[in-house]
């Protein structure tokens, strides 16, 4: 039997449902993965509210990514994959004891890397790597601003930027400043009414890139803080998380702003990062994901990158995991783990 967490509709975390059903057989090109870890990200938080841009209709099993071991393979898939640990992007379906995954989406996890630690760099690692190196094209000696530097993507961005020789300014609430500083960034209070002035004091000529998951009216300051030739990378609309109404309206307004800014003759660029862009060219997309996630996993395996596990919570306690992830009190990523492997770790003391 497979055990999975179901999101039945727009519910509070306590409304998540646990169900079991017969274990599925992998079809052609698929692998059945015994899930060891799956993350709780902003995407699931928005899906719970019915506000994720292209979420499926309720009910469905959330879970944007996973790490686990292949237990069986379908027609056309190398049976040698069985017994090996892989990571995969799934968008939905990861919050389960087992998941069917397209074999082409599997990225092997290096030996000796803990499943929950690997999980922290799947969607976060791909997102951070591609925003830094494919979109902003950072170079050593640059200065960047990372909003939400204590979050899952934020802590990953800070570490990858520092590894690339980039100076980082990171916003977070004061309770997280020590953690942000320990990662190598200069922390600033995101609630500071003179935040733009604080950033300019550290980067008088402006910053070379801003990574903004907040959106809303604050995105204007993010663009204004860019140096000439700088790049704004927007990758979320957290500011409108609890605003009632259409999930598309804030995104479309953001897109319009970014488009307008790109037309201005000031040498600055403004882009929205979409993890799923290019998916229609499936083989090329999968190759890019394998290459980029492979880079981050290699850094993790070598000890040059620290996995920020905020907490390890059993799959059966998904409601607790979602509440904690939404609380804003932790540094890093909340990870759901197989019940028998549940261990608490990381920054749980921040609660």
């Amino acid at each position: 039997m497979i055990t999975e967490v179901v999101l039945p509709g727009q519910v509070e975390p306590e409304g998540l449902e646990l169900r079991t059903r017969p274990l599925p057989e992998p079809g052609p090109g698929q692998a059945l993965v015994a899930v060891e870890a799956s993350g709780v990200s902003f995407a699931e938080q928005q899906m719970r509210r019915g506000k994720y841009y292209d979420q499926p209709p309720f009910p469905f099993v959330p879970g944007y990514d996973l790490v686990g071991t292949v237990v069986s393979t379908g027609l056309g898939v190398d049976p040698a994959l069985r017994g090996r640990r892989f990571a995969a992007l799934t968008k939905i379906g990861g919050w389960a004891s087992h998941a069917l995954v397209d074999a082409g989406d599997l990225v092997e996890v290096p030996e000796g890397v803990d499943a929950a630690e690997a999980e922290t760099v799947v969607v976060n690692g791909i997102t951070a790597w591609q925003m830094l190196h494919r979109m902003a094209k950072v170079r050593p000696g640059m200065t960047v601003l990372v909003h939400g530097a204590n979050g899952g993507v934020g802590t990953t961005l800070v570490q990858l930027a520092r590894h690339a020789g980039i100076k980082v300014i990171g916003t977070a609430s004061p309770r997280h400043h020590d953690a942000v500083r320990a990662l190598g960034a200069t922390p600033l209070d995101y609630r500071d009414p003179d935040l733009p002035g604080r950033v300019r004091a550290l980067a008088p000529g402006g910053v070379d890139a801003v990574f903004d998951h907040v959106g809303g009216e604050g995105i204007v300051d993010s663009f204004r803080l860019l140096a000439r030739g700088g790049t704004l990378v927007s990758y979320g609309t957290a500011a409108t998380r609890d605003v009632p109404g259409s999930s598309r309206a804030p995104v479309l307004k953001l897109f319009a702003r970014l488009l307008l800014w790109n037309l201005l003759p000031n040498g600055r660029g403004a882009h929205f990062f979409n993890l799923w862009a290019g998916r229609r060219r499936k083989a090329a997309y999968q190759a890019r994901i394998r290459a980029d996630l492979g880079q981050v996993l290699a850094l993790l395996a070598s000890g040059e990158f620290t996995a920020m596990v905020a907490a390890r919570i059993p799959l059966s306690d998904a409601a607790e995991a979602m509440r904690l992830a939404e609380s804003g009190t932790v540094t890093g990523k909340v990870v759901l783990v197989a019940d028998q492997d549940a261990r608490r770790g990381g920054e749980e003391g921040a609660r």
Side-chain angles (χ1 to χ4, degrees):
M1 300 292 286
I2 178 174
T3 301
E4 53 193 12
V5 177
V6 178
L7 187 53
Q10 294 182 38
V11 296
E12 293 302 311
E14 294 75 13
L16 292 169
E17 298 174 357
L18 203 65
R19 76 178 181 195
T20 59
R21 60 183 176 89
L23 197 65
E25 289 291 331
Q30 291 184 320
L32 179 65
V33 177
V35 180
E36 298 170 67
S38 183
V40 184
S41 66
F42 185 68
E44 288 92 11
Q45 297 171 35
Q46 288 294 78
M47 288 178 186
R48 180 180 73 76
R49 295 171 171 82
K51 296 195 56 113
Y52 189 76
Y53 188 78
D54 60 351
Q55 71 186 70
F58 297 113
F60 62 91
V61 177
Y64 217 77
D65 56 1
L66 60 82
V67 172
T69 301
V70 172
V71 293
S72 62
T73 54
L75 185 66
V77 180
D78 186 355
L81 298 185
R82 298 174 192 167
R84 290 157 59 187
R85 178 178 282 164
F86 292 90
L89 286 173
T90 53
K91 190 176 256 187
I92 60 171
W95 288 11
S97 62
H98 297 77
L100 289 174
V101 178
D102 186 322
D105 290 331
L106 296 173
V107 180
E108 189 149 22
V109 175
E111 259 188 75
V113 175
D114 174 75
E117 293 185 356
E119 160 52 40
T120 67
V121 301
V122 184
V123 65
N124 292 347
I126 297 167
T127 298
W129 184 274
Q130 292 187 348
M131 290 195 301
L132 279 167
H133 296 292
R134 293 188 182 272
M135 196 163 272
K137 295 181 172 60
V138 296
R139 300 185 304 276
M142 285 184 165
T143 299
V144 303
L145 173 63
V146 175
H147 286 299
N150 64 297
V153 175
T155 55
T156 307
L157 273 167
V158 171
Q159 291 191 76
L160 292 181
R162 294 295 297 135
H163 182 265
I166 310 299
K167 178 182 176 183
V168 182
I169 303 166
T171 68
S173 63
R175 69 184 298 167
H176 298 301
H177 282 191
D178 286 346
V180 171
R181 193 176 291 110
L183 293 175
T186 301
L188 293 176
D189 185 354
Y190 76 95
R191 293 192 185 94
D192 191 326
D194 190 31
L195 179 61
R198 304 290 183 195
V199 174
R200 289 206 174 274
L202 295 169
V207 295
D208 298 292
V210 179
F211 300 95
D212 189 313
H213 71 297
V214 182
E217 293 307 309
I219 198 80
V220 177
D221 283 334
S222 289
F223 186 72
R224 288 173 177 168
L225 285 169
L226 290 174
R228 186 170 183 84
T231 303
L232 166 64
V233 182
S234 171
Y235 65 103
T237 54
T240 60
R241 186 186 75 172
D242 297 313
V243 176
S246 169
S247 63
R248 293 175 178 264
V251 178
L252 295 175
K253 182 178 180 181
L254 175 61
F255 285 173
R257 265 184 169 151
L258 299 179
L259 178 62
L260 174 63
W261 288 337
N262 276 323
L263 296 174
L264 298 177
N266 56 22
R268 300 173 183 142
H271 307 283
F272 187 83
F273 176 77
N274 176 9
L275 182 61
W276 304 97
R279 179 73 181 179
R280 290 182 181 178
R281 297 179 59 200
K282 194 172 182 180
Y285 176 86
Q286 290 172 329
R288 189 164 62 248
I289 293 296
R290 284 194 298 272
D292 296 345
L293 180 53
Q295 296 263 24
V296 184
L297 286 169
L299 291 174
L300 181 59
S302 68
E304 296 177 79
F305 181 96
T306 301
M308 304 298 291
V309 181
R312 306 171 193 241
I313 295 179
L315 179 68
S316 57
D317 291 337
E320 178 189 347
M322 182 161 272
R323 278 196 305 271
L324 181 59
E326 293 183 0
S327 71
T329 61
V330 296
T331 297
K333 189 168 187 178
V334 176
V335 178
L336 286 169
V337 296
D339 282 46
Q340 65 269 26
D341 296 330
R343 300 178 301 276
R344 301 300 169 84
E347 296 292 328
E348 282 186 297
R351 272 190 276 179

